[in-house]
Amino acid sequence: MSLLFPLRIVLFYFLLAFTAFAWCLVSLVFAPFMAFRARYRFVVQNWCRCAVWLGKTLAGLRYEVHGAENVPARPCVILAKHQSTWETFFLSAYFEPLTQVLKRELLRVPFFGWAIMLLKPIAIDRDNPKAALRQVAKQGHERLEQGAWVLIFPEGTRTPVGQPAKFSRSGAALAVNAGLPVLPIAHNAGMFWPKAGWGKRPGTIQVVIGPPMLAESEGPRAVAELNQRAEDWVNAQVSQLEAQGRPTP
């Protein structure tokens, strides 16, 4: 690894922060006058593409997507592995328009949070899980009816490489109630953009989009079965990716 690589990481974070601040200011001026889909493209998709490009150019974070043919024509519930910040950028750029479940404290961040509020996020109180589940069910259903993808990280938080976590049933319940499939997504981004620290490891992130999964029955049993099926598929794919992929030394 080049001795200049740490300087490139510093430059990466500087440009990431600078472009986020500048784009949030621009978005707060122009985005409120746009329709939702155009607003999403203007506020989120363009900047997230920039973030992914910065990661590739300065930190060597390349990527490959497998299973793109599995993406259904109609938006549904995305259940994705959560290991790093990279997949948040990537998935927000790849699917549009997209809304995601996030902690409501993020909306209080000056400029950034104000811009996010324009995009109809599902901002939950993690300290009140019962209310959060009801909110995801209600607002998630509304977003799906409006033609938006709903991104849920069912583990609830970023998990370290090699440590799978149980999936929350909220995403599966939302899909079952809406009569739509879940779209499972696995990746190994945590091997290159670790959860802890500022360091990055150059290499090629593998993203695997699985086949859409529909419930095979009805009621609570259908939710539990669909959730377990998605969890098993994602964990199996991630384990395989982690066994095969190694960061560049």
Side-chain angles (χ1 to χ4, degrees):
M1 187 180 298
S2 170
L3 295 177
L4 294 177
F5 188 71
L7 295 178
R8 292 169 62 182
I9 297 301
V10 172
L11 179 60
F12 165 73
Y13 276 111
F14 171 78
L15 291 176
L16 193 68
F18 175 78
T19 55
F21 176 73
W23 200 243
C24 284
L25 287 179
V26 172
S27 298
L28 287 170
V29 174
F30 295 103
F33 305 101
M34 300 178 180
F36 177 65
R37 184 178 290 270
R39 185 188 309 170
Y40 184 86
R41 290 171 178 166
F42 185 79
V43 178
V44 176
Q45 192 173 43
N46 289 333
W47 182 78
C48 284
R49 285 175 175 171
C50 174
V52 171
W53 180 82
L54 286 173
K56 177 182 177 180
T57 303
L58 295 175
L61 299 176
R62 302 177 299 278
Y63 65 90
E64 294 178 351
V65 179
H66 309 274
E69 67 278 4
N70 290 324
V71 177
R74 180 180 177 182
C76 63
V77 180
I78 300 169
L79 298 183
K81 180 68 178 176
H82 200 18
Q83 287 185 335
S84 73
T85 305
W86 182 88
E87 63 267 17
T88 305
F89 296 149
F90 173 78
L91 294 174
S92 297
Y94 196 83
F95 295 90
E96 62 89 11
L98 177 145
T99 187
Q100 62 179 289
V101 178
L102 48 80
K103 56 185 179 181
R104 67 181 184 184
E105 289 80 5
L106 290 176
L107 302 184
R108 300 170 186 163
V109 178
F111 302 106
F112 175 81
W114 305 339
I116 291 296
M117 287 178 65
L118 298 171
L119 303 168
K120 302 180 181 180
I122 304 173
I124 63 171
D125 179 4
R126 287 185 175 177
D127 294 329
N128 191 342
K130 290 184 178 180
L133 284 174
R134 291 193 296 269
Q135 183 181 353
V136 171
K138 180 178 183 296
Q139 295 184 354
H141 192 84
E142 292 172 354
R143 303 297 186 266
L144 289 168
E145 288 185 331
Q146 294 165 357
W149 299 86
V150 176
L151 170 61
I152 294 180
F153 294 116
E155 294 160 308
T157 187
R158 290 173 295 170
T159 56
V161 172
Q163 297 182 24
K166 295 294 293 181
F167 277 23
S168 163
R169 295 183 182 181
S170 60
L174 175 59
V176 170
N177 292 335
L180 293 171
V182 299
L183 186 68
I185 296 182
H187 60 83
N188 60 351
M191 299 180 67
F192 307 91
W193 184 321
K195 174 184 177 181
W198 290 54
K200 303 288 176 287
R201 303 185 183 105
T204 303
I205 298 169
Q206 302 294 328
V207 180
V208 183
I209 303 174
M213 298 180 180
L214 277 165
E216 297 177 346
S217 57
E218 297 180 354
R221 179 176 296 181
V223 173
E225 184 276 332
L226 179 60
N227 188 65
Q228 190 63 55
R229 192 155 29 110
E231 179 182 330
D232 291 344
W233 185 90
V234 169
N235 285 337
Q237 291 292 324
V238 170
S239 295
Q240 183 176 351
L241 292 175
E242 291 175 351
Q244 294 176 348
R246 291 291 180 269
T248 302

